Each structure stands twice: as C-alpha cells, then as structure tokens.
Amino acid sequence: KSKLLPFCADILGAALSCIADDEKEIRKKAESTNKALLDLIEKTDSTANSFDLHPLLNKVTLQLLNKWVPSRLASLRWISMLLRKLPGELFNFLDELFPALLKTLHDPDDEVVRLDLEVLARISLGESGKLNQTNFEMVLNHLIKRFREDRKFLEHRGSLIIRQLSVLLNGESIYRTLARILKSIED
C-alpha cells in the first residue's frame, strides 16, 4: 500500500474521472479505487511526508470542474478529509484552493453546494478546530463579494448558504460578522 503513495495523485485523477462513467463496472472500480486511496491517505502517518500534497490537490481541484456530480462530490470529500488530517499543510494551498471552492458554490446540485459549504466551514475553523476569526472573515468577505457581484446568485443560493453555514458554525457569529462587514461597505 505505501508503495502506491508516490502515484496516488495520478491514480486518484483517473479514478475521479471515471466515478460517473456510464459503464457500471468501470464506475464500481473507480469508486472502490477512490475509497481505497482515501483510506490509504487517511491512515498514512502525516508526519512521514510520504506523499506530495500539491499534485493530489491539483487533481482534486481539477475535478471540481468536472461536469459529473459524483466526481465533484468525491473531490469535496477528499478536500474535507485532507483539511481534517493535514490542516496546517492544506492551509498553505488555500490561495489555489479557495477560488475553486467559491466557484463550486454556483453548482446547480444542492448536495455539491452543501458539501462545499462544509469544506468552507472547516476552513473557517482553522487548524485548531475552533473558529479562526481571520479565516472566518475571509470566507464571509468572499461570500458577500460574490453576492454583490451576482444578484441572481444571491437570490438563488444566498438563503441556502447562510442557513447551512449557520448550522455548521455558530449562527450568531455569522450574523454579527456579516453585519460588521456590511456596515463597512458604503453601498
């Protein structure tokens, strides 16, 4: 199993691409490969530097743009697991990851949006698992910016996003921080 770690990103990229294949056998093999790789990475000693996180994140982030819902969901599960397992290392790649996560909020599938919000909530919590005010405000600032730029997005997804974040994080903190951010905006 550990001999696969250097090739994990390439194998994962292929598996995520095939998770929604029309052929049942290919889909089942891709799902089992994805699950096995997820388990392998989850159980690998995180201090051993046994796998390179950057190529893995590139494959996962690329699949967020996949037209198939199962591939996008699997990618978000990977990001969520990596945030739990390696929060410090993953926060180093936030500049690359964050735009893709924000774009995924526009996804037409509600389940994809909910899982994306779970990932954004995990980012808001930071490495300690407690609310990290800097990350939390960054997430909310970007959401407000998206809402301001795209009125249709606000009308279509705004309520779901705020409600779901309130369930995942402290609702009072969300509303207080949103109010503070909105107060600082002139328009």
Side-chain angles (χ1 to χ4, degrees), residues 133 136-137 140 172-181:
Q133 200 62 36
F136 180 58
E137 286 185 19
L140 292 182
E172 183 180 346
S173 295
I174 289 171
Y175 284 101
R176 286 181 185 266
T177 305
L178 282 174
R180 189 172 56 250
I181 293 169

Side-chain angles (χ1 to χ4, degrees), residues 93-113:
F93 297 101
L94 214 50
D95 290 339
E96 298 169 31
L97 187 59
F98 202 65
L101 292 171
L102 289 173
K103 187 174 181 172
T104 303
L105 289 174
H106 292 269
D107 198 281
D109 187 82
D110 285 348
E111 190 178 353
V112 170
V113 172

Side-chain angles (χ1 to χ4, degrees), residues 75-140:
S75 295
L76 288 166
R77 287 186 193 104
W78 269 92
I79 295 168
S80 184
M81 181 276 294
L82 290 169
L83 276 167
R84 275 190 320 272
K85 180 174 179 59
L86 305 165
E89 290 88 341
L90 207 64
F91 280 102
N92 294 330
F93 297 101
L94 214 50
D95 290 339
E96 298 169 31
L97 187 59
F98 202 65
L101 292 171
L102 289 173
K103 187 174 181 172
T104 303
L105 289 174
H106 292 269
D107 198 281
D109 187 82
D110 285 348
E111 190 178 353
V112 170
V113 172
R114 282 190 180 94
L115 194 51
D116 190 37
L117 287 167
E118 284 181 31
V119 170
L120 289 171
R122 194 171 299 283
I123 289 170
S124 296
L125 294 175
E127 292 181 51
S128 65
K130 295 180 182 173
L131 197 62
N132 178 307
Q133 200 62 36
T134 305
N135 292 353
F136 180 58
E137 286 185 19
M138 177 187 68
V139 168
L140 292 182

Side-chain angles (χ1 to χ4, degrees), residues 5-169:
L5 288 173
F7 310 104
C8 186
D10 292 329
I11 297 169
L12 179 62
L16 290 175
S17 295
C18 295
I19 274 184
D21 198 273
D22 291 336
E23 188 69 37
K24 185 179 179 180
E25 189 175 329
I26 292 173
R27 191 173 55 247
K28 282 188 162 200
K29 292 288 185 189
E31 288 169 354
S32 67
T33 301
N34 178 54
K35 184 180 178 337
L37 287 173
L38 195 64
D39 291 343
L40 176 64
I41 296 295
E42 218 167 356
K43 293 174 182 163
T44 299
D45 180 17
S46 58
T47 60
N49 291 331
S50 9
F51 62 94
D52 191 3
L53 191 57
H54 194 255
L56 192 67
L57 275 177
N58 284 340
K59 297 291 183 180
V60 170
T61 306
L62 182 66
Q63 290 302 318
L64 288 176
L65 304 173
N66 191 306
K67 66 179 181 176
W68 303 111
V69 171
S71 296
R72 295 192 307 268
L73 288 171
S75 295
L76 288 166
R77 287 186 193 104
W78 269 92
I79 295 168
S80 184
M81 181 276 294
L82 290 169
L83 276 167
R84 275 190 320 272
K85 180 174 179 59
L86 305 165
E89 290 88 341
L90 207 64
F91 280 102
N92 294 330
F93 297 101
L94 214 50
D95 290 339
E96 298 169 31
L97 187 59
F98 202 65
L101 292 171
L102 289 173
K103 187 174 181 172
T104 303
L105 289 174
H106 292 269
D107 198 281
D109 187 82
D110 285 348
E111 190 178 353
V112 170
V113 172
R114 282 190 180 94
L115 194 51
D116 190 37
L117 287 167
E118 284 181 31
V119 170
L120 289 171
R122 194 171 299 283
I123 289 170
S124 296
L125 294 175
E127 292 181 51
S128 65
K130 295 180 182 173
L131 197 62
N132 178 307
Q133 200 62 36
T134 305
N135 292 353
F136 180 58
E137 286 185 19
M138 177 187 68
V139 168
L140 292 182
N141 272 311
H142 281 286
L143 279 176
I144 288 175
K145 182 180 179 200
R146 292 275 172 150
F147 291 155
R148 290 180 72 205
E149 292 171 352
D150 187 351
R151 180 81 175 177
K152 200 171 187 175
F153 174 62
L154 170 63
E155 292 169 2
H156 183 69
R157 289 289 187 199
S159 179
L160 169 71
I161 289 170
I162 299 303
R163 271 195 329 260
Q164 193 66 25
L165 282 176
S166 294
V167 168
L168 297 167
L169 300 167

